[in-house]
């Protein structure tokens, strides 16, 4: 079974703090993704990575950065958290496809981040 | 570019009744299609996928979906729902020409006892 884990299920941070969300997958997948999920908006892609040290912007990268130093780990960084970044963050991984394409994405349980 | 429209944001249905969750997509290229389910406080889990071949796809938990290319639809169906099917359902599309993987806005299915 593919396993994607995220470092925290719930996180509360203050405005202006630097926030790290960690994601680890154990299936040796090349592709990893970060989404945010908001009611009525579905999932929106923030960043994705198709290889170590490679990253591509998704649809809403503003206010976020990512790091992929090892194949199994993909970190999402909020440089200076703001209240409009309160959301559910979902990490996913997939076997190689063409860029963002993949046959299937495997998701972690999500991190519910609240910025106060 | 692709996009996905889930026509119903909420669908209430009585237990043991049939259900259909609608999904339409727009794309100028051929696509792969997916349905995911999200149970409360969990990540997304793949229900089924269409890559090629038979247009009727069967998935887990008794769900099935039919790919209709002329209507650009991929509706999800189950003949008899159970309380445990209460969840959020997402339709997704991926293009195999190097384009993007998009999710719909989701349909909340509530099964009423």
């Amino acid at each position: 079974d593919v396993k994607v884990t995220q470092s925290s299920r719930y996180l509360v941070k203050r405005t202006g703090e630097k926030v790290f969300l960690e994601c680890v997958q154990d299936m040796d997948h090349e592709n990893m993704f970060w989404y945010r999920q908001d009611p009525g908006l579905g999932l929106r892609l923030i960043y994705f990575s198709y290889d170590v040290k490679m990253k591509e912007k998704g649809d809403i990268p503003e206010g976020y950065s990512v790091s992929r130093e090892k194949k199994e780990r993909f970190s999402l960084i909020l440089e200076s958290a703001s209240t409009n970044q309160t959301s559910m963050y979902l990490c996913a991984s997939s076997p190689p496809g063409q860029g963002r394409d993949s046959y299937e994405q495997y998701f972690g349980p999500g991190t519910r981040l609240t910025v106060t | 570019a692709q996009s996905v429209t889930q026509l119903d944001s909420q669908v209430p249905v009585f237990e043991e009744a049939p259900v259909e969750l609608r999904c339409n997509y727009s794309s100028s290229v051929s696509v792969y299609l997916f349905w995911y389910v999200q149970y409360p406080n969990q990540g997304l889990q793949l229900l089924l996928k269409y890559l090629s071949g038979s247009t009727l796809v069967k998935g887990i938990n008794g769900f099935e979906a039919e790919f209709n290319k002329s209507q650009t639809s991929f509706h999800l169906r189950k003949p008899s729902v159970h309380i445990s099917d209460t969840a959020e359902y997402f339709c997704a599309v991926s293009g195999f020409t190097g384009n993007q993987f998009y999710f719909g806005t989701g349909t909340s299915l509530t099964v009423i006892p």
Side-chain angles (χ1 to χ4, degrees):
Chain A
D1 256 6
V2 177
K3 192 151 189 188
V4 180
T5 57
Q6 296 183 228
S7 51
S8 306
R9 292 300 301 273
Y10 300 94
L11 210 52
V12 180
K13 295 292 181 181
R14 293 193 182 277
T15 301
E17 278 193 80
K18 191 168 186 176
V19 181
F20 292 87
L21 302 182
E22 305 285 341
C23 175
V24 177
Q25 51 94 4
D26 65 359
M27 283 301 291
D28 202 36
H29 283 168
E30 278 75 6
N31 298 333
M32 297 189 74
F33 307 79
W34 275 107
Y35 294 90
R36 65 176 282 177
Q37 181 182 10
D38 300 289
L41 297 177
L43 277 72
R44 292 179 292 168
L45 184 66
I46 305 171
Y47 269 97
F48 70 102
S49 168
Y50 53 87
D51 203 351
V52 175
K53 295 192 185 296
M54 305 299 287
K55 61 185 179 185
E56 294 279 345
K57 291 181 180 179
D59 301 315
I60 52 163
E62 296 79 18
Y64 304 93
S65 62
V66 290
S67 172
R68 192 156 180 213
E69 297 295 320
K70 293 184 178 181
K71 191 175 186 179
E72 68 271 19
R73 188 179 297 269
F74 192 35
S75 302
L76 180 70
I77 303 155
L78 286 66
E79 295 290 343
S80 177
S82 63
T83 54
N84 62 14
Q85 293 178 309
T86 291
S87 186
M88 170 73 92
Y89 290 87
L90 292 166
C91 175
S93 72
S94 74
Q98 296 178 355
R100 275 174 77 162
D101 291 352
S102 62
Y103 296 113
E104 180 177 344
Q105 295 193 2
Y106 298 83
F107 283 83
T111 296
R112 188 165 294 282
L113 173 67
T114 302
V115 182
T116 60
Chain B
Q2 293 99 26
S3 67
V4 179
T5 301
Q6 291 184 244
L7 297 164
D8 306 300
S9 60
Q10 295 185 343
V11 173
V13 62
F14 286 103
E15 192 174 15
E16 298 183 4
V19 70
E20 178 180 83
L21 305 184
R22 296 180 293 169
C23 173
N24 287 87
Y25 69 92
S26 65
S27 176
S28 57
V29 298
S30 297
V31 297
Y32 301 134
L33 294 156
F34 308 81
W35 275 100
Y36 283 83
V37 60
Q38 184 181 33
Y39 299 106
N41 298 314
Q42 294 188 26
L44 275 69
Q45 176 184 357
L46 184 71
L47 266 181
L48 48 81
K49 60 188 175 188
Y50 171 79
L51 304 181
S52 64
S54 173
T55 57
L56 184 62
V57 180
K58 294 190 182 298
I60 61 172
N61 300 340
F63 283 93
E64 63 180 32
E66 186 155 18
F67 170 55
N68 187 319
K69 189 174 182 179
S70 62
Q71 296 187 3
T72 59
S73 68
F74 191 55
H75 301 332
L76 181 71
R77 301 185 184 100
K78 187 170 182 177
S80 175
V81 295
H82 190 267
I83 295 289
S84 59
D85 294 323
T86 293
E88 189 89 13
Y89 292 80
F90 292 93
C91 182
V93 61
S94 170
F96 52 78
T97 60
N99 292 322
Q100 300 175 340
F101 197 103
Y102 284 109
F103 286 88
T105 52
T107 297
S108 178
L109 174 65
T110 301
V111 180
I112 305 163

